[in-house]
Amino acid sequence: MPVEGGSSSGSTSATRHPKQKRKAHSLSIRRTNSTEDRLPGILRGDMLEGQDSKLPHSLRNNLLELFGQIEREFENLYIENLELRREIESLNDRLTGDGQAVDGGDPTKGALKAKASHSTSQLSQKLKTTYKASTSKRLYSFQDKIGGARNFNMAPWELWAGDSWIVSSFKATTGSRALCQLLKEYVGHRDGIWDLSVSRTQPVVLGTASADHSALLWSIETGKCLLRYAGHAGSVNSIKFHPTEQMALTASGDQTAHIWRYMVQLPAPQPPPDVSALCDDDQDSSDREEGEVDGDGPCEVPTIRVATATLKSHQGVVIAADWLVGGRQVVTASWDRAANLYEVETSELVHALTGHDQELTHCCTHPTQRLVVTSSRDTTFRLWDFRDPSIHSVNVFQGHTDTVTSAVFTVGDNVVSGSDDRTVKVWDLKNMRSPITTIRTDSAVNRISVSANQRIIALPHDNRQVRLFDMSGVRLARLPRSNRMGHRRMVCCTAWNEENQTCNLFTCGFDRQAIGWNINIPALLQEK
């Protein structure tokens, strides 16, 4: 598992010989079983000095000091372990003896013996619980003491309480960076970015929707802002591109959804960025002022202020919108607890999809069939079927215990749902009674996306993490995250770009920027 932390000059060296370090440490632990066999720290250091090593002298001394702390802490735990075991054995022997005495002289021996045995078991369990709590408290204190080990990009120490104690091997984060590389940052919005999408027609552009009342179109290769849409009077909560034409659909807090046409010309491509320079830049991006904007600001690009069509029927914030297959109808989801189906050509309301008990959070359409899925704060998501014009069926799914933040279709017959209950579930459209896969996370899950070709699920979290899973729930990778790389606030949304093998995943968040990532998918699947 990759470990957080910035790179340092000693990180590569510290992780170059993990097996040798683990072997030396295990020998050190075995010596603690007998204090007579322990060698003085100076003599141990002299012995190691005689061994060949490519580690710098200062780093080597730091490691020796850490191992010395580990050894001392283990010895204390080992002694405490022995004392507690003696106490447990003594109490067990005494209670067992009492039970035998009662058994020999009382006609009610059967009941008393059972009672004595039960008391023995209870006391033994209580002592074991106390022992575990005591050692756990010591373990946390121990981890705090050796927290400096994380400066070497090492994995956290993992100790197992039993007859022996094992320290986990060192693990570097270089593998994660090789699989997932940050390529481009798209900076220009003046408030958090709620949603992003990649156009499905040429020229391929990136679209972002922001709380600053605007939507921006970007050149994926250069990171240059190409166009600004400023027709909304509220936060722009969603953006989706028409499947065959240069049109965009945006949903807003002004209770409307807009359809607008765009024409952009891509700038000449620039040479690929130096990723290592981007990762090791001395300037910490977290120090950027809130109002500071890098690159071309939205005021310096062409601006569209009038929509081609305005969809007005909702009585609350329109949180999401999407095109049905073919692009002749669109569906919108609102905080008024309803989803609406509109004709694009006439802007007329065709169906009002009602039934949710609380505000809607997202809507998504199937890529090849007339199916719509809506998610809600009522802990459910609903599947709406428009394949038969005479029958509009709906199915309700109650698989989560908190707000369903998004539910999306895959190219196959699956629906993937994410929730504030920190789970993601994969469902089979042919049998939606129970999920076929459940992914448990440590943070609420926001708007997810699934790659069409490789069927990889990208999960954005409230804690700024972005994790990648396959459809069977196997974790593939986590995008790098530090003060100099990745998002500095909650990640709201992800979007895959199947047409571009260089920059094929995009993320956005409350830090007012979108980020383009290169995911080495063949290597990712091979490691799985």
Side-chain angles (χ1 to χ4, degrees):
M1 182 182 300
V3 178
E4 297 179 25
S7 60
S8 63
S9 59
S11 62
T12 305
S13 300
T15 59
R16 196 170 290 165
H17 305 290
K19 294 183 179 179
Q20 295 178 6
K21 294 300 174 186
R22 192 186 313 146
K23 182 178 180 181
H25 176 63
S26 61
L27 290 174
S28 174
I29 287 180
R30 282 198 281 271
R31 293 192 191 103
T32 62
N33 294 335
S34 174
T35 56
E36 297 176 358
D37 295 335
R38 287 187 59 195
L39 293 174
I42 299 177
L43 180 57
R44 251 191 343 267
D46 293 340
M47 291 179 61
L48 290 176
E49 285 294 337
Q51 299 177 4
D52 293 335
S53 175
K54 297 181 181 179
L55 295 176
H57 183 72
S58 59
L59 178 58
R60 189 178 178 85
N61 289 339
N62 288 336
L63 289 174
L64 290 174
E65 182 180 353
L66 290 172
F67 284 129
Q69 294 180 19
I70 296 170
E71 187 174 10
R72 289 191 296 272
E73 188 69 23
F74 170 79
E75 183 175 13
N76 293 334
L77 291 171
Y78 181 78
I79 294 172
E80 183 177 326
N81 186 8
L82 292 178
E83 293 175 352
L84 287 170
R85 284 180 182 275
R86 290 193 197 99
E87 187 175 353
I88 292 173
E89 291 173 1
S90 175
L91 289 170
N92 283 338
D93 291 341
R94 188 175 65 185
L95 289 172
T96 302
D98 293 342
Q100 289 175 349
V102 173
D103 185 43
D106 195 308
T108 60
K109 58 184 179 181
L112 290 175
K113 183 176 180 180
K115 184 177 180 181
S117 175
H118 181 66
S119 300
T120 303
S121 176
Q122 279 187 330
L123 182 57
S124 177
Q125 184 63 35
K126 184 176 181 180
L127 286 171
K128 289 179 181 178
T129 303
T130 304
Y131 166 71
K132 289 181 180 179
S134 174
T135 53
S136 296
K137 189 178 296 183
R138 274 186 167 272
L139 176 58
Y140 292 135
S141 174
F142 172 50
Q143 288 175 330
D144 292 338
K145 288 180 182 178
I146 65 172
R150 295 170 187 168
N151 293 332
F152 305 126
N153 286 338
M154 301 170 186
W157 302 97
E158 297 175 359
L159 300 177
W160 173 72
D163 293 333
S164 62
W165 293 71
I166 303 173
V167 179
S168 67
S169 61
F170 300 112
K171 188 174 182 180
T173 61
T174 54
S176 174
R177 291 186 179 178
L179 295 173
C180 310
Q181 294 183 342
L182 186 153
L183 291 185
K184 187 68 65 176
E185 293 181 340
Y186 305 86
V187 182
H189 281 291
R190 300 187 180 276
D191 208 334
I193 302 177
W194 291 111
D195 193 24
L196 48 72
S197 180
V198 179
S199 66
R200 292 180 261 182
T201 59
Q202 295 294 334
V204 178
V205 295
L206 173 68
T208 55
S210 171
D212 65 6
H213 300 191
S214 73
L216 300 182
L217 303 187
W218 306 83
S219 165
I220 294 177
E221 301 296 336
T222 66
K224 179 181 176 60
C225 183
L226 305 175
L227 183 69
R228 176 177 182 243
Y229 179 72
H232 284 291
S235 169
V236 184
N237 302 320
S238 171
I239 181 169
K240 289 292 184 291
F241 290 98
H242 192 277
T244 58
E245 300 182 35
Q246 292 188 13
M247 290 195 298
L249 169 67
T250 51
S252 173
D254 61 11
Q255 304 184 3
T256 68
H258 289 183
I259 298 173
W260 44 278
R261 292 186 177 272
Y262 64 89
M263 291 185 63
V264 294
Q265 183 175 0
L266 297 180
Q270 297 177 348
D274 186 350
V275 178
S276 61
L278 182 61
C279 298
D280 300 329
D281 190 1
D282 292 335
Q283 181 182 0
D284 190 340
S285 60
S286 63
D287 294 335
R288 182 187 298 140
E289 295 295 332
E290 291 297 327
E292 184 178 344
V293 176
D294 296 340
D296 295 329
C299 296
E300 302 176 5
V301 298
T303 301
I304 298 176
R305 300 185 183 277
V306 179
T308 305
T310 300
L311 310 178
K312 301 178 181 179
S313 291
H314 286 291
Q315 304 301 314
V317 169
V318 183
I319 196 64
D322 201 359
W323 304 85
L324 264 71
V325 58
R328 287 180 288 187
Q329 292 180 325
V330 299
V331 62
T332 59
S334 171
W335 284 5
D336 63 8
R337 306 180 184 182
N340 288 341
L341 186 67
Y342 295 91
E343 287 286 348
V344 171
E345 186 175 353
T346 62
S347 302
E348 292 182 358
L349 176 64
V350 180
H351 293 291
L353 313 179
T354 59
H356 281 290
D357 295 331
Q358 295 187 38
E359 297 93 336
L360 273 64
T361 58
H362 192 241
C363 65
C364 180
T365 59
H366 194 281
T368 60
Q369 303 183 59
R370 290 177 56 80
L371 297 173
V372 176
V373 63
T374 57
S375 57
S376 169
R377 290 176 56 87
D378 62 11
T379 74
T380 71
F381 66 93
R382 295 182 175 230
L383 178 65
W384 311 82
D385 191 345
F386 297 102
R387 288 175 293 186
D388 188 339
S390 61
I391 303 175
H392 303 141
S393 62
V394 57
N395 294 291
V396 183
F397 304 98
Q398 299 176 335
H400 293 280
T401 59
D402 205 339
T403 297
V404 183
T405 53
S406 63
V408 299
F409 291 102
T410 68
V411 172
D413 293 329
N414 295 113
V415 173
V416 184
S417 60
S419 171
D420 281 346
D421 65 8
R422 304 182 180 184
T423 66
V424 173
K425 297 178 185 289
V426 181
W427 309 77
D428 187 349
L429 280 174
K430 297 177 182 177
N431 182 11
M432 298 280 285
R433 294 182 180 178
S434 60
I436 58 177
T437 302
T438 298
I439 302 170
R440 303 190 183 278
T441 68
D442 59 354
S443 180
V445 181
N446 297 314
R447 289 185 180 177
I448 59 181
S449 64
V450 182
S451 65
N453 296 335
Q454 303 297 337
R455 292 160 61 85
I456 298 176
I457 310 170
L459 309 183
H461 294 283
D462 280 357
N463 64 1
R464 303 188 301 153
Q465 299 280 9
V466 180
R467 296 183 175 93
L468 306 180
F469 288 81
D470 68 7
M471 296 292 289
S472 61
V474 176
R475 176 172 166 174
L476 303 177
R478 185 190 71 187
L479 300 190
R481 189 200 73 179
S482 67
N483 286 336
R484 296 189 180 95
M485 183 189 305
H487 290 283
R488 302 184 300 279
R489 295 188 183 179
M490 181 180 78
V491 186
C492 300
C493 181
T494 58
W496 289 92
N497 179 17
E498 302 292 340
E499 303 299 327
N500 192 319
Q501 296 302 316
T502 302
C503 204
N504 50 18
L505 178 65
F506 298 94
T507 59
C508 66
F510 273 8
D511 56 1
R512 308 180 182 184
Q513 68 174 341
I515 298 178
W517 303 85
N518 174 33
I519 311 299
N520 190 339
I521 294 179
L524 202 68
L525 299 177
Q526 184 177 2
E527 282 204 354
K528 180 184 72 169

